[in-house]
Structures are given as C-alpha cells and as structure tokens.
Amino acid sequence: MTDNTTRLDHVVLWVRDPLAAADFYEKAVGLEPLRVAEFTAGEVSFPSVRLNEETIFDLAPLDLIPGMNMLPGAAGSAGHPVNHVCLSLPADAFDALRTRLEEGDVPVSGISHDSYGARGKAPRSFYFRDPDGNVFEARHYD
C-alpha cells in the first residue's frame, strides 16, 4: 500500500468465543484467520480475520469490555454492537457466500435490489448474522 488516503483499517466485533468466531468467519464467510495460534497460546488478546489487504475484523472476547471504556464520557458503551457491517463483494463471491451460509444452515434474508451504498446502487444485497448476533449485509456492485 503506497497511498495514504483515508481507509477503513479494522472493525472490532464483540464475540463470546473468539476461536468459534474465527472458525465461522473462515468457513462460512471465507475470510482468512489471523493470530489464532497466538491467541490460543495466550500471546495476544484476540484473533482477527482478514477482510481484504487493507481491512481486518478483530474478534474481541467479551472479557475485554471493562478495559475498553477508555473514551472520555463513554463508560459502559464498550461491547455494544453496531447496527450492521456491509461487505461489498464481486458478484461471483456474493453468490458463493450466500451458498456457503445456506449450506452451513446460517439464516439469510431475502435478496434486496438496488440498495444504496458507498458506490451507488447495488443490484443485490442480503443480510445474515454471525454466531454472536453481529449483523452483516453482503452486496455486489458489478
């Protein structure tokens, strides 16, 4: 990466079991797990999964919540989920994700059409939850 434009670096997801979450994101969503061995060995506080070359999801265990109340005036807000995170994929990867989720018995919403996002209208999108209740939208623009 050579340019320094503003980008999304990471999203922290609160999870009950970081190893189970990493397994879900690897097998059901198709993301690369990171630092799982280091987490298992107690060398790092949480594992992550790679979304793309620039962005990761950190899988933070709930026992880290008390230490995350560091933002002035935000005591007690750590651990609250976001509304949803949207994954933008090529059309073939979008279809493959939906197939993997359905084959893994992960409930998915119906397909929405022409939802507006960062790159304009997406022809198709759908929603699913991870095992910890975090909501994801998957979409494609091509």
Side-chain angles (χ1 to χ4, degrees), residues 50-106:
R50 180 159 300 287
L51 180 64
N52 59 39
E53 68 181 35
E54 303 174 343
T55 310
I56 61 174
F57 292 151
D58 291 333
L59 307 175
L62 298 175
D63 61 4
L64 290 183
I65 289 173
M68 295 299 290
N69 287 320
M70 81 277 279
L71 182 63
S77 67
H80 290 261
V82 297
N83 180 270
H84 73 275
V85 174
C86 182
L87 307 175
S88 175
L89 308 157
D92 58 340
F94 172 93
D95 292 329
L97 170 60
R98 188 170 177 95
T99 298
R100 278 195 312 276
L101 293 170
E102 290 172 338
E103 288 173 351
D105 295 323
V106 176

Side-chain angles (χ1 to χ4, degrees), residues 26-47:
E26 178 182 16
K27 292 179 179 157
V29 184
L31 304 181
E32 174 191 359
L34 304 170
R35 303 178 345 141
V36 171
E38 294 90 336
F39 174 74
T40 302
E43 298 169 0
V44 297
S45 299
F46 51 84

Side-chain angles (χ1 to χ4, degrees), residues 44 46 48 60 66 125 137:
V44 297
F46 51 84
S48 303
S125 65
E137 177 184 358

Side-chain angles (χ1 to χ4, degrees), residues 119-132:
R119 294 170 49 200
K121 286 187 179 179
R124 297 182 297 158
S125 65
F126 69 90
Y127 293 84
F128 65 96
R129 288 185 184 269
D130 74 3
D132 291 285

